[in-house]
Amino acid sequence: MVLITFTWSHGGTQVFLCGSFDGWSEQMLMNLVEGSAAVFQRIVDVPPGYHKYKFLVDGIWQVDQAQLCVQDEYGAINNVVFVKESVSMPSALIREHGQSKLVSGFASNTHLEASSSSVLQLRPVMQLLNNEIDVSRHRLFMFLSTSQAYELIPNSGKVFVLDTEVAVEQAFHIMYEQRLAVMPLWDERNAMISGMLTSSDFILILLKLQESHPMLTNDELKMHTVSAWKYRKFQLHAEVSGAVIPPNRRVLQAGPDESLKDVALTLLQNKISAVPVLHSAEDGSSSHLLHTACLAGILKQICRHFRHSLEYLPILLQPVGNLPFGTWTREVGGRASSRVLLTLHRRDLLSSALKFLIEGEISSIPITDDKGALINVYSRSDITSLARNNVYARFRLDQMTMTQVLQVLDEASRDRCRTCTRFDSLYRIMEVLSDPTVRRVVVIDPNSRHVEGIITLRDVFNLLLG
């Protein structure tokens, strides 16, 4: 037997080690290294030979991409170590030129050997092969194509809808109290769902009103109905684009028998966050709102279906740092993205944040402290928190700092700031994002908490659907 030190250096609250050296029979608690906030170690007496192992970090199985990895024929990935007889290796951190290694299966002519420097001579593969990604996408595509929108409808629950003649101020408070970022609009005169009211509408309303009234009042929001605002919004769009407002605009919607693939593509292609699921009478005389479908609900269906067969979709086992999606900072080597990752300082103004969200067509912005460490995230849906105690009527948007904004956010809003590291698996991120109150995950350095990137619901679906 040989004493081996296994190390996990990517943070966490509770970390366990499990490996083939004892038949995967025990989850061994790892200890935090003294003086460190992120490094865990465990010394294990293991027999000579080749051993696979994994880490259970806060209930999530993970591999360390900084250590040697192996991928079996089913797509499952484990860390790997080769122990020579009567040689006590100082650590299970096996590196070559500072690069992580991923071994894709073993051909008949591939052998495990340890050189004098104890570096395994194995064929390195840094990420999934393109055809393996394509296979995963095809299987997901088939699952979504054969699943239907009615499967998203819970067995019991509430469906919220707003009358178009409700005052903007009242709608603002309703959405805050119900913790909703989007609500279907009901046109009583035409007896139909006429559109959706979103957090972006409130941002645009507040910015527009501020142009003429720097200090907003309740009266100004009471003067405008939701339908009047929506019409004015389309007028402004027409003035800018030169388009003509159609008398009867078609509202994007889904039927209960529509495939989840088509629902997801409707949301992605039209850059919207939700779509009403309507059941229409056969003669077309009426329709009933059954549900409001969103990407989080579809993602929950995917996670539920593949939870116990992740090896069927190798892409789900990959660390997010290995996959071509998300928005990343320039400091994260080799992760150039088409979009610039914007961050805000806690002393920046709310008006700046709102303009970034609208003009940059982004859903959220990380907020950092003086050292660049993540404090929280401000998202479009957080605008409704200004309805709490009528904050919008007591502060000017161009004078309220992000520190003050964060103090307004209640506990439920603060919980929406979720983080991960580049080493977390895609499946773990998908599970987090399947919560409808969470629409993005911030990628941070586990030691410094510096922001490295951000992954949104839309990023995940663009990756999975190609």
Side-chain angles (χ1 to χ4, degrees):
M1 302 289 280
V2 181
L3 290 176
I4 298 294
T5 300
F6 292 88
T7 303
W8 171 263
S9 58
H10 308 294
T13 302
Q14 194 173 53
V15 182
F16 293 89
L17 171 71
C18 190
S20 60
F21 38 76
D22 64 355
W24 304 93
S25 62
E26 183 181 357
Q27 295 176 7
M28 294 177 281
L29 181 65
M30 301 185 72
N31 299 313
L32 191 63
V33 174
E34 186 176 353
S36 173
V39 180
F40 293 79
Q41 289 188 336
R42 176 70 184 245
I43 299 176
V44 184
D45 203 7
V46 302
Y50 157 69
H51 303 284
K52 291 183 286 187
Y53 60 97
K54 266 186 177 179
F55 301 94
L56 183 62
V57 184
D58 297 336
I60 304 295
W61 287 107
Q62 300 198 48
V63 295
D64 187 346
Q65 290 295 303
Q67 303 180 36
L68 190 65
C69 299
V70 61
Q71 179 179 320
D72 63 23
E73 63 271 24
Y74 302 106
I77 301 173
N78 297 289
N79 286 120
V80 61
V81 63
F82 182 78
V83 181
K84 293 181 67 175
E85 188 171 1
S86 301
V87 175
S88 181
M89 298 175 69
S91 172
L93 285 173
I94 303 176
R95 302 171 184 266
E96 182 177 1
H97 306 302
Q99 300 293 323
S100 63
K101 302 296 177 185
L102 174 62
V103 183
S104 180
F106 294 99
S108 59
N109 61 347
T110 302
H111 301 281
L112 286 167
E113 297 178 352
S115 68
S116 57
S117 60
S118 298
V119 177
L120 292 181
Q121 304 300 311
L122 294 170
R123 180 171 62 91
V125 180
M126 297 304 295
Q127 59 184 7
L128 286 175
L129 299 177
N130 287 336
N131 65 321
E132 293 175 311
I133 294 179
D134 291 340
V135 166
S136 296
R137 285 174 171 166
H138 175 71
R139 289 171 176 171
L140 272 171
F141 190 85
M142 293 303 297
F143 166 71
L144 294 175
S145 297
T146 55
S147 302
Q148 296 176 308
Y150 75 82
E151 297 175 41
L152 301 176
I153 303 173
N155 293 329
S156 63
K158 298 178 180 179
V159 178
F160 293 93
V161 63
L162 274 174
D163 192 292
T164 55
E165 296 309 307
V166 166
V168 169
E169 185 253 356
Q170 185 179 356
F172 203 11
H173 283 271
I174 290 173
M175 291 184 70
Y176 166 71
E177 291 164 2
Q178 300 300 329
R179 304 190 187 283
L180 296 171
V182 59
M183 288 187 72
L185 295 173
W186 175 256
D187 182 347
E188 179 66 28
R189 184 171 58 182
N190 296 308
M192 60 180 289
I193 297 293
S194 62
M196 306 288 279
L197 186 66
T198 70
S199 299
S200 297
D201 285 313
F202 288 113
I203 293 177
L204 290 169
I205 290 170
L206 294 180
L207 289 175
K208 194 67 183 174
L209 290 177
Q210 185 187 247
E211 291 179 6
S212 53
H213 302 280
M215 183 64 78
L216 301 177
T217 66
N218 286 350
D219 290 340
E220 286 160 341
L221 293 184
K222 287 178 181 177
M223 290 169 55
H224 300 78
T225 64
V226 170
S227 60
W229 157 249
K230 280 291 190 180
Y231 183 77
R232 178 57 180 156
K233 177 183 175 182
F234 284 107
Q235 273 188 321
L236 293 171
H237 174 72
E239 290 171 7
V240 173
S241 64
V244 178
I245 305 175
N248 295 304
R249 292 180 297 103
R250 178 181 177 273
V251 178
L252 292 172
Q253 57 185 264
D257 296 326
E258 195 165 328
S259 73
L260 291 185
K261 180 260 296 182
D262 289 338
V263 175
L265 291 177
T266 295
L267 294 170
L268 292 172
Q269 293 169 358
N270 293 281
K271 297 182 179 180
I272 55 178
S273 58
V275 64
V277 179
L278 303 175
H279 173 68
S280 301
E282 292 185 3
D283 59 3
S285 59
S286 63
S287 60
H288 301 281
L289 177 65
L290 302 178
H291 185 62
T292 301
C294 60
L295 292 177
I298 300 174
L299 198 62
K300 181 174 287 188
Q301 288 293 103
I302 295 173
C303 291
R304 182 182 298 146
H305 183 81
F306 292 101
R307 179 174 296 136
H308 302 296
S309 56
L310 297 183
E311 66 279 357
Y312 190 67
L313 299 175
I315 194 173
L316 302 189
L317 298 169
Q318 282 287 298
V320 292
N322 281 8
L323 296 170
F325 76 137
T327 305
W328 303 82
T329 61
R330 294 184 179 91
E331 290 74 21
V332 181
R335 295 312 309 263
S337 53
S338 58
R339 305 188 68 161
V340 177
L341 179 61
L342 298 174
T343 60
L344 285 172
H345 190 273
R346 58 186 175 185
R347 288 190 291 273
D348 287 330
L349 300 176
L350 174 58
S351 55
S352 299
L354 298 182
K355 289 177 181 177
F356 278 145
L357 292 172
I358 296 299
E359 295 173 4
E361 297 184 339
I362 55 179
S363 63
S364 59
I365 308 176
I367 304 170
T368 62
D369 63 15
D370 294 335
K371 296 182 179 179
L374 178 69
I375 297 176
N376 208 314
V377 171
Y378 192 77
S379 63
R380 293 191 188 196
S381 57
D382 288 327
I383 191 66
T384 59
S385 65
L386 295 184
R388 185 184 186 191
N389 299 323
N390 294 332
V391 169
Y392 61 84
R394 295 188 285 111
F395 289 89
R396 288 182 53 166
L397 303 183
D398 58 356
Q399 292 181 354
M400 192 175 189
T401 67
M402 297 313 298
T403 296
Q404 293 172 310
V405 172
L406 294 179
Q407 291 171 349
V408 172
L409 295 180
D410 54 19
E411 291 301 323
S413 296
R414 291 174 188 169
D415 287 344
R416 286 206 301 270
C417 180
R418 302 295 178 85
T419 62
C420 71
T421 73
R422 282 179 286 161
F423 306 97
D424 287 316
S425 69
L426 173 59
Y427 180 74
R428 176 180 180 269
I429 305 307
M430 289 169 57
E431 282 200 314
V432 173
L433 290 173
S434 65
D435 180 342
T437 65
V438 182
R439 296 180 63 185
R440 80 283 307 162
V441 178
V442 183
V443 186
I444 61 171
D445 180 282
N447 296 312
S448 66
R449 289 187 61 81
H450 282 181
V451 176
E452 294 186 337
I454 192 165
I455 298 170
T456 68
L457 261 171
R458 193 169 297 275
D459 290 331
V460 171
F461 274 90
N462 284 331
L463 172 70
L464 295 181
L465 297 180

